[in-house]
Amino acid sequence: MKISLRGNVSSLLHGIEELQEDYAFTLSDNGYPLAIIQQKNAPLTVSADKEAGKIIYDERAHFFRAFGLFLENLQSSNEFHIEEVPQFTTVGPMFDLSRNAVMKVEAFKGLIRKLAMMGFNSAMLYMEDTYEVKEEPYFGYMRGRYTQTELKELDDYAFFLGIELIPCIQTLAHLEEFLKWDATAHLKDTRGVLLVESEETYSFIEKMIVAASKPFRSRRIHIGMDEAEELGRGIYLNKHGYKKRFDLMVDHLERVMAIVKEKQLEPMLWSDMFIKLASSTGEDHYNLSTAISDYIVEKTPKDVQLMYWDYAHTKKEEYVEMIKKHKAFKSKPAFAGGIWVWNSFGTNYNLSLTASEAALQACKQEGVSDVFVTLWGDDGYENNYYTALLGLQFYAEHAYSRELNREKWKQRVKFCTGINAEAYLLFNELDQITGVIEEKTEQTNPSKFLLWQDVLLGVFDKQIEGIDITSHYASLENKVKRIRNADNEIDFIFDVPEKLCAVLSMKANLGIRLKEAYDRDDKNTLQSIAQSELPELISRVEQLRNAHREQWFRMHKPFGWEVIDIRYGGVVSRLDTASKRIEDYLNGHIAQIEELEQERLRFSNKPTENLGWCSYYYRMATPNVFFHVLPIY
């Protein structure tokens, strides 16, 4: 497709040129004329007739949204008229760059191009220690940290496409990966929490804030401070004695705010600690009965924007109530929802879309103008950002309409990413097992715990007893194969799910079959498992590992892959040991297989409509000591 740009588009030209390859158009004097490109305070308008096209936009991000709509509709017609009214002042994803998966700069640029065509005007970079602080060599050491040059390059690129990049850091908790080093002992209260009321700590925080903000045009900065339950309970307690966490929190925030103000930055802050500390238990983040006292309101700084994060509620009324509680702090809150890509190979779209629909409707009703959507990595990021693109498009479409048009949403994700909505929903099926949890919105991650669990120990076998998981994954493997298109630039994201299904169609219930054969002394089945099935399964795991490695190095820096590599190595080694243990038993070298003598118990006895949830690899791999947890300080 050839497009001819008319008029003064110099400020937009660089961004437009960057989109040509991805969206199959070229700029040419003899192309279809985009004759009027007008910036004014008015609804976003895109139109075309047989003679020429027209775009009216307010801010740069709106232009690229409009330009995407222009290209999309021009494919099927040269006569159309579209008007949209932006619903939010700020809308964008938050990329977790701290849980081993630090995106390569070029891969990040590719995502930025897609975000621009969707219509996002911001993105937060969640960096606990993965940015360069030159005075602190252990900060992000061997963690793939971004250099100042890399961050500036990303910011420049995003700027030309209308996207504000916002650093999102931590200035209190979630700093385990930095505080583990001996060189940081003087800064540590507990494993992940900084030592408050220490001048060395505030000198360090100032270095962090300067380093995190310097590469970016944005004056906004997210200073974190979520989930700091251990505050004041480690070295601080030993040194100074007990002090209420709320008082520690407020005093610390005031010190950090003084640094932020001096640097002329506009801070945001996760709100959960203030809501928790206002609750009767001091722990409950989402208690709808929590009353925000006048004392807490008075003590909380007014020149910081509280960000309410919530990924799991499914009713609009619950979000409305929590937004109102945030408004009690006398400032307009921001909101952060989530697309559930974390702690799994799958993406939980049942939960993500249901929760997001309720949350976004509540935000519109209550006038929340700054909305973000988080893509957390948590336990090492086996999944990836691309699988969330359908969910990101969901947020983008909500951001430009009062009510979501679902057909338009699906059409737009196909245009913006090249992949059908139905294909993205296959990621959901990695964890949503047909006939067990279909259409449910609870957390569940069998694609992860069934891969990493040990076939001899069967920690999760009782969870899946009596369920035909083998057929589910065999069927899903075929579905994934059918939707793949090698011509699409991001088709590679389906390679891991395809090969994971091939593994799980064999491995998911192998431990159950192995235990059953052992209990009935079925030596023929045991021999078949040892000599035929386990070697084939090892081969499939290696194919999965190779596909996963290829995907990782295409998207991410190398640091952090070693964690996933070690996990795969553990699976292969344990399958090999399982084969050896069976052979030793069959050959009479051992009288029994002690692991298979053990009764199988449920991993979780909590009532649930799904197969269960586990957050940590080490709990999936073994019930034995994986690492020794030292005292919190």
Side-chain angles (χ1 to χ4, degrees):
M1 182 188 301
K2 293 181 179 181
I3 303 295
S4 174
L5 301 178
R6 308 289 170 85
N8 183 12
V9 293
S10 57
S11 65
L12 302 168
L13 187 58
H14 181 67
I16 295 171
E17 289 174 339
E18 286 295 312
L19 297 167
Q20 290 180 95
E21 183 176 351
D22 287 0
Y23 293 97
F25 72 92
T26 56
L27 299 179
S28 171
D29 290 340
N30 61 358
Y32 179 82
L34 185 48
I36 299 175
I37 301 176
Q38 185 177 4
Q39 185 174 16
K40 65 179 182 179
N41 185 10
L44 180 154
T45 304
V46 187
S47 61
D49 57 29
K50 294 178 181 178
E51 302 298 323
K54 177 181 179 180
I55 288 177
I56 295 174
Y57 70 102
D58 185 5
E59 61 178 74
R60 189 191 295 259
H62 299 163
F63 168 79
F64 287 103
R65 163 84 179 184
F67 188 63
L69 288 166
F70 174 75
L71 294 177
E72 178 186 353
N73 286 275
L74 203 59
Q75 292 176 348
S76 57
S77 172
N78 60 5
E79 292 191 68
F80 53 85
H81 182 88
I82 301 167
E83 283 192 10
E84 295 182 336
V85 178
Q87 303 294 303
F88 307 118
T89 303
T90 308
V91 61
M94 188 222 73
F95 296 104
D96 185 346
L97 304 163
S98 296
R99 273 47 181 267
N100 298 344
V102 180
M103 264 191 288
K104 290 180 177 179
V105 169
E106 288 306 310
F108 209 152
K109 288 179 178 179
L111 269 178
I112 287 170
R113 292 193 293 272
K114 290 175 172 56
L115 298 181
M117 294 301 259
M118 289 178 177
F120 290 110
N121 64 1
S122 70
M124 285 200 299
L125 281 63
Y126 179 73
M127 303 177 292
E128 292 174 356
D129 66 332
T130 51
Y131 57 99
E132 180 183 33
V133 180
K134 291 184 178 179
E135 305 93 331
E136 298 286 345
Y138 282 96
F139 196 76
Y141 174 61
M142 290 290 184
R143 295 257 292 135
R145 63 190 171 203
Y146 286 117
T147 66
Q148 294 278 304
T149 301
E150 287 175 319
L151 291 175
K152 187 178 186 307
E153 183 180 349
L154 285 172
D155 189 65
D156 288 343
Y157 195 82
F159 171 76
F160 285 114
L161 287 160
I163 294 174
E164 174 192 15
L165 294 189
I166 302 169
C168 181
I169 66 172
Q170 290 288 358
T171 58
L172 182 57
H174 282 301
L175 288 168
E176 291 87 350
E177 300 312 315
F178 174 60
L179 294 176
K180 68 190 174 192
W181 301 108
D182 290 344
T184 68
H186 60 293
L187 300 171
K188 182 165 64 174
D189 179 10
T190 69
R191 281 192 301 269
V193 177
L194 292 171
L195 181 63
V196 299
E197 297 182 6
S198 163
E199 292 308 312
E200 287 182 297
T201 295
Y202 297 105
S203 175
F204 166 65
I205 289 173
E206 182 171 5
K207 293 174 189 175
M208 282 199 297
I209 289 171
V210 169
S213 60
K214 185 177 179 180
F216 299 99
R217 288 173 173 80
S218 177
R219 292 293 82 200
R220 292 198 278 184
I221 185 171
H222 200 304
I223 57 175
M225 297 197 192
D226 60 310
E227 297 180 323
E229 283 83 4
E230 294 178 356
L231 173 62
R233 294 180 174 180
I235 290 171
Y236 179 92
L237 184 65
N238 294 342
K239 281 188 170 185
H240 305 292
Y242 174 77
K243 189 173 180 179
K244 289 182 178 179
R245 282 183 299 165
F246 179 76
D247 293 334
L248 288 173
M249 188 87 187
V250 169
D251 291 346
H252 178 71
L253 178 55
E254 287 179 353
R255 289 293 304 269
V256 175
M257 287 293 293
I259 298 169
V260 169
K261 287 178 184 177
E262 186 203 347
K263 309 304 176 187
Q264 298 181 311
L265 298 170
E266 302 168 18
M268 292 180 277
L269 174 78
W270 301 116
S271 69
D272 58 296
M273 285 303 294
F274 290 93
I275 302 297
K276 287 174 184 175
L277 295 175
S279 71
S280 58
T281 63
E283 304 290 342
D284 198 339
H285 179 197
Y286 292 128
N287 190 335
L288 296 177
S289 65
T290 295
I292 311 299
S293 71
D294 291 341
Y295 174 78
I296 287 179
V297 170
E298 289 168 8
K299 293 284 287 183
T300 305
K302 303 300 178 289
D303 43 3
V304 60
Q305 185 178 32
L306 294 179
M307 182 172 284
Y308 160 41
W309 58 267
D310 193 337
Y311 321 129
H313 284 99
T314 56
K315 296 178 181 178
K316 174 184 171 183
E317 296 75 19
E318 294 170 329
Y319 290 96
V320 168
E321 186 63 29
M322 287 305 299
I323 291 170
K324 288 179 178 178
K325 291 187 185 300
H326 283 75
K327 288 180 177 180
F329 289 94
K330 309 301 182 185
S331 62
K332 185 180 288 187
F335 175 76
I339 302 300
W340 284 72
V341 294
W342 54 91
N343 272 327
S344 181
F345 284 79
T347 300
N348 189 333
Y349 274 116
N350 280 354
L351 176 53
S352 299
L353 299 180
T354 304
S356 296
E357 175 68 24
L360 291 169
Q361 289 291 1
C363 285
K364 291 174 188 178
Q365 176 180 310
E366 293 301 309
V368 175
S369 57
D370 298 313
V371 171
F372 295 88
V373 50
T374 60
L375 308 175
W376 294 107
D378 287 9
D379 188 44
Y381 235 135
E382 288 109 340
N383 202 340
N384 66 79
Y385 315 103
Y386 286 100
T387 68
L389 287 173
L390 177 65
L392 296 187
Q393 192 80 59
F394 188 87
Y395 272 73
E397 297 314 302
H398 259 291
Y400 289 89
S401 61
R402 193 68 190 171
E403 299 288 338
L404 179 72
N405 181 325
R406 290 186 172 264
E407 283 307 309
K408 183 179 179 182
W409 162 49
K410 293 177 181 180
Q411 292 165 6
R412 292 236 70 224
V413 79
K414 169 63 175 176
F415 172 78
C416 291
T417 73
I419 294 175
N420 290 320
E422 291 71 22
Y424 283 108
L425 292 175
L426 293 180
F427 293 113
N428 192 68
E429 294 187 36
L430 286 169
D431 292 315
Q432 308 288 315
I433 308 301
T434 303
V436 180
I437 47 176
E438 199 168 11
E439 300 304 321
K440 297 291 187 287
T441 56
E442 290 185 321
Q443 296 170 238
T444 187
N445 59 347
S447 66
K448 179 166 176 165
F449 63 65
L450 293 176
L451 174 64
W452 299 137
Q453 81 157 346
D454 189 278
V455 294
L456 282 176
L457 302 177
V459 174
F460 290 87
D461 282 351
K462 202 71 176 177
Q463 304 283 137
I464 64 168
E465 199 171 59
I467 299 168
D468 188 7
I469 289 187
T470 293
S471 296
H472 173 81
Y473 284 116
S475 173
L476 183 55
E477 180 187 3
N478 289 327
K479 288 181 186 179
V480 174
K481 285 179 178 178
R482 287 197 297 270
I483 58 89
R484 296 195 62 179
N485 177 5
D487 293 332
N488 187 285
E489 61 160 327
I490 60 171
D491 178 72
F492 70 92
I493 66 173
F494 291 98
D495 205 20
V496 169
E498 180 184 324
K499 291 177 172 58
L500 176 61
C501 287
V503 168
L504 294 181
S505 65
M506 281 195 73
K507 185 177 186 291
N509 72 347
L510 183 58
I512 294 173
R513 293 178 51 242
L514 182 58
K515 169 79 168 142
E516 289 174 345
Y518 178 79
D519 286 346
R520 65 174 182 265
D521 198 26
D522 183 348
K523 291 184 170 58
N524 288 334
T525 297
L526 290 175
Q527 188 171 49
S528 175
I529 289 173
Q531 295 181 356
S532 178
E533 294 186 45
L534 286 172
E536 170 62 18
L537 182 53
I538 288 172
S539 175
R540 293 190 187 191
V541 171
E542 287 288 8
Q543 291 175 53
L544 169 60
R545 171 180 167 267
N546 290 338
H548 202 165
R549 182 172 59 188
E550 184 71 22
Q551 174 183 285
W552 183 282
F553 284 101
R554 184 166 179 167
M555 298 171 60
H556 304 128
K557 295 185 178 188
F559 305 96
W561 169 251
E562 74 280 1
V563 172
I564 310 299
D565 228 358
I566 289 166
R567 293 178 185 182
Y568 281 117
V571 171
V572 169
S573 292
R574 289 299 296 162
L575 291 174
D576 179 66
T577 293
S579 181
K580 175 71 162 56
R581 295 283 288 158
I582 297 168
E583 294 282 5
D584 284 351
Y585 173 68
L586 293 175
N587 293 335
H589 295 157
I590 56 176
Q592 60 182 9
I593 303 175
E594 291 180 78
E595 302 94 321
L596 299 180
E597 291 284 331
Q598 297 289 308
E599 179 188 0
R600 287 345 189 206
L601 303 175
R602 288 182 62 85
F603 179 83
S604 172
N605 286 317
K606 294 179 180 178
T608 178
E609 293 181 300
N610 60 36
L611 297 180
W613 170 269
C614 183
S615 296
Y616 302 109
Y617 160 77
Y618 72 93
R619 292 295 185 211
M620 301 171 189
T622 175
N624 289 295
V625 176
F626 194 84
F627 63 86
H628 181 52
V629 179
L630 296 170
I632 60 174
Y633 50 87

